[in-house]
Amino acid sequence: MDPGHCSHWVFGYGSLIFKADFPFAEACPASITGWQRRFWQGSHDHRGTPDAPGRVVTLIPTPDAVCHGLAYRVPDEVFDHLDHREKNGYRRLQVAISLQHGPVVEGTTYYAGADNEAFLGAAPDHRIASHILASQGPSGSNLDYLERLARALRRMGCPDSHVENIFRIAQEQAGSNLE
Ligand code: SIN
């Protein structure tokens, strides 16, 4: 990838962290302020189906909260691919992205607001965990999404307590289902 050609930053906080199926010049640990990551978005097309949507993450506006993720420097063409990949309720949002080892840059993130059709909203962690355990779609099981996200955030040194709690409960529930 010609690095000079990549003039846009994209901030990923969910599957974009662990599945980068697009060209990029660099990927940097980064954060955005004023947002929390929550498993409040339905997934009809990746980790569930229209009849049985899975649960994936979106951003919830929360004063002073910091959401850690990965920022990619990408070429313009990537947006056609990402708009399609994130079409189930997400829209592009301009945000200020703090690069962990660099400046604050302007960039884009994919945000699914409470007004989109697939939005599911809050639920107790144990209900979110059991919902995730029961769901799967064309991109794989919903548990695989949860596990990959939890592990990627740990590897980056920024585990997220919401994701960690749900992952722990889902593992406990999966264990008790096997007994
Ligand atoms: C993202 O990863 O940044 C958006 C949500 C998702 O695709 O999981």
Side-chain angles (χ1 to χ4, degrees), residues 10-18 41 46 56-59 70 85-86 90 109-111 145 149:
V10 174
F11 178 77
Y13 56 91
S15 69
L16 292 181
I17 294 179
F18 61 78
Q41 172 66 6
H46 284 298
V56 292
V57 290
T58 184
L59 295 169
L70 260 190
R85 171 172 159 175
E86 303 296 325
Y90 294 86
T109 195
Y110 282 84
Y111 162 64
Y145 177 107
L149 180 58

Side-chain angles (χ1 to χ4, degrees), residues 54-117:
R55 267 192 184 257
V56 292
V57 290
T58 184
L59 295 169
I60 303 299
T62 311
D64 300 330
V66 176
C67 177
H68 293 276
L70 260 190
Y72 298 92
R73 190 157 63 81
V74 299
D76 215 7
E77 309 81 86
V78 158
F79 287 102
D80 285 343
H81 168 68
L82 290 181
D83 287 354
H84 180 74
R85 171 172 159 175
E86 303 296 325
K87 66 183 184 309
N88 189 197
Y90 294 86
R91 61 181 174 82
R92 294 188 207 173
L93 181 73
Q94 292 309 113
V95 284
I97 304 169
S98 304
L99 302 177
Q100 190 177 307
H101 300 296
V104 177
V105 294
E106 279 299 309
T108 302
T109 195
Y110 282 84
Y111 162 64
D115 55 352
N116 85 85
E117 275 185 2

Side-chain angles (χ1 to χ4, degrees), residues 38-41 55 60 119-125 127-128 162:
R38 287 290 178 266
F39 269 93
W40 291 6
Q41 172 66 6
R55 267 192 184 257
I60 303 299
F119 191 77
L120 294 174
D125 285 354
R127 288 211 190 286
I128 294 182
H162 171 76

